[in-house]
Amino acid sequence: SAVISQKPSRDICQRGTSLTIQCQVDSQVTMMFWYRQQPGQSLTLIATANQGSEATYESGFVIDKFPISRPNLTFSTLTVSNMSPEDSSIYLCSAGTGGPGELFFGEGSRLTVL
Amino acid sequence: GQQVMQIPQYQHVQEGEDFTTYCNSSTTLSNIQWYKQRPGGHPVFLIQLVKSGEVKKQKRLTFQFGEAKKNSSLHITATQTTDVGTYFCAGRYGNKLVFGAGTILRVKS
């Protein structure tokens, strides 16, 4: 199994600013992903964080808005840039050991944009 | 694109009643996983189904994977208040997991 720590756990931000969310896994994992979840809604995959290279983004998400880094196997960051109220959501980091295995999730970062 | 449909959206049952949620994919899945998310919590893995027609049980929970590997179900027998939460199915397409909309389960005691 893997324990995933995310910070901040929550934040209130002003429109037009940017926020970086950090994700740390306690063991080496192959895959890391970032999801977004509106309260009471499902999880939407933003991107796959690739170690040492550019992330792979899903349709509707772009690097300029959601830059992602993954400098090593156990750490990743997601930045939400030029925020607007529509970006208010819970952002979840997840990790897996690759192949068909389960995903482990962090506690999430609840972002509110005013 | 890849999409997993899940129904019902919401179910409110009396404690002791059974509960079922269903998932369906338009394309064949390599596997399907089920997660539970308690209110205010994060998704937690329950089980993974890989084989066509597979059935797995965890105490009062029964998971099924369809013969065509396009649909799945989760059945809870004799619900308890500890079962409350949102149950998500997630279909695997390559390295990606695509989540269904989730079924919110509320249990009246």
Side-chain angles (χ1 to χ4, degrees):
Chain A
S1 66
V3 176
I4 300 177
S5 302
Q6 264 185 255
K7 59 181 181 181
S9 58
R10 60 179 61 231
D11 208 339
I12 300 174
C13 302
Q14 296 299 316
R15 181 194 299 258
T17 62
S18 298
L19 177 74
T20 296
I21 302 168
Q22 298 182 0
C23 176
Q24 177 73 54
V25 188
D26 72 340
S27 56
Q28 289 198 344
V29 290
T30 306
M31 311 295 292
M32 291 185 75
F33 305 91
W34 287 97
Y35 284 86
R36 184 169 71 182
Q37 185 178 31
Q38 303 281 358
Q41 302 296 315
S42 185
L43 288 79
T44 301
L45 181 63
I46 298 172
T48 303
N50 300 309
Q51 183 198 357
S53 64
E54 189 173 294
T56 305
Y57 290 85
E58 297 301 305
S59 176
F61 297 96
V62 295
I63 188 171
D64 290 346
K65 177 66 176 177
F66 298 100
I68 289 171
S69 77
R70 188 181 173 192
N72 58 54
L73 280 175
T74 62
F75 184 78
S76 179
T77 66
L78 166 73
T79 299
V80 186
S81 303
N82 188 25
M83 288 184 285
S84 66
E86 292 71 34
D87 296 319
S88 298
S89 189
I90 299 169
Y91 292 85
L92 290 155
C93 172
S94 69
T97 55
E102 68 184 276
L103 285 187
F104 303 94
F105 283 86
E107 295 290 339
S109 299
R110 181 182 291 269
L111 175 61
T112 302
V113 184
L114 302 178
Chain B
Q2 298 115 357
Q3 199 170 14
V4 177
M5 309 302 294
Q6 186 173 358
I7 58 169
Q9 180 181 358
Y10 181 84
Q11 191 151 9
H12 200 171
V13 302
Q14 191 72 38
E15 188 173 22
E17 292 181 340
D18 292 355
F19 160 78
T20 305
T21 174
Y22 303 89
C23 277
N24 187 68
S25 169
S26 58
T27 58
T28 302
L29 299 166
S30 55
N31 68 48
I32 194 159
Q33 300 179 5
W34 287 89
Y35 290 77
K36 178 182 179 180
Q37 186 174 26
R38 294 182 185 275
H42 61 278
V44 174
F45 175 81
L46 293 177
I47 209 160
Q48 175 174 276
L49 303 170
V50 179
K51 299 177 183 176
S52 168
E54 189 170 14
V55 178
K56 288 188 176 180
K57 292 190 176 184
Q58 288 180 350
K59 297 182 181 178
R60 294 178 294 104
L61 278 62
T62 301
F63 304 84
Q64 294 188 350
F65 201 10
E67 293 290 340
K69 299 183 71 173
K70 289 184 177 183
N71 60 285
S72 181
S73 65
L74 158 59
H75 180 82
I76 302 178
T77 303
T79 55
Q80 301 175 358
T81 55
T82 53
D83 294 326
V84 298
T86 303
Y87 292 84
F88 292 99
C89 62
R92 182 166 289 280
Y93 302 89
N95 281 326
K96 298 189 303 184
L97 269 187
V98 177
F99 282 76
T103 297
I104 300 170
L105 173 63
R106 293 288 179 259
V107 180
K108 294 182 290 186
S109 59

